[in-house]
Amino acid sequence: MDKNIFLETKRCYLRKMTFDDYCELAEMLQDIEVMYAWEYSFSEEDVKDWINKNLERYNRCNSGYFLVEDKISSKILGQAALMPDVIDGKEYYEVGYIFKKQYWHKGYATECARALVKYAFEKLNLSEVIFEIRPENRASRNVAERLGAGVEGEFVKNVGGKDMRHLIYKL
């Protein structure tokens, strides 16, 4: 298996991003429709920072956002994450996902999130994982609910200098 591949699902590889993936990441992160829940799209510098943060996470804890690559076409469909997070002083592992809009509603987010949850429980021996989701982001909430997660609380997260309410789904 390629050393950059973190996980495999039925249809996809989840692999570590590199700076060679800048254009693919920019296509997603600079699309205001894709980034509607964040309420801003990334600048060129933000995309570079995103790559750097994930490279750092891979080195520090072998986690972060991974690119989702179609096994057959090798097209980049989106990103899916498993990474440590701290909310109100408590440590969690969070599952997240961001997909190009042409791949929305095709089951990829659920497929990748399911694989990451399985990895978290079986390989990392975690007792729980969370999903941080804006209340109005119905599609992301549906993914968490499909996997059996329920709302356990909420918190305010500062995203791009703006305070935003997030639900905490726990599994």
Side-chain angles (χ1 to χ4, degrees), residues 27-28 31-34 77 98-106:
E27 181 184 341
M28 264 177 275
D31 184 330
I32 195 65
E33 285 183 73
V34 169
L77 312 178
I98 303 169
F99 282 83
K100 295 178 181 178
K101 61 182 171 262
Q102 64 264 40
Y103 302 111
W104 288 359
H105 310 294
K106 298 185 185 318

Side-chain angles (χ1 to χ4, degrees), residues 111-123:
E111 181 176 327
C112 293
R114 182 174 283 119
L116 289 165
V117 166
K118 182 178 179 186
Y119 180 89
F121 290 144
E122 293 180 4
K123 301 287 189 210

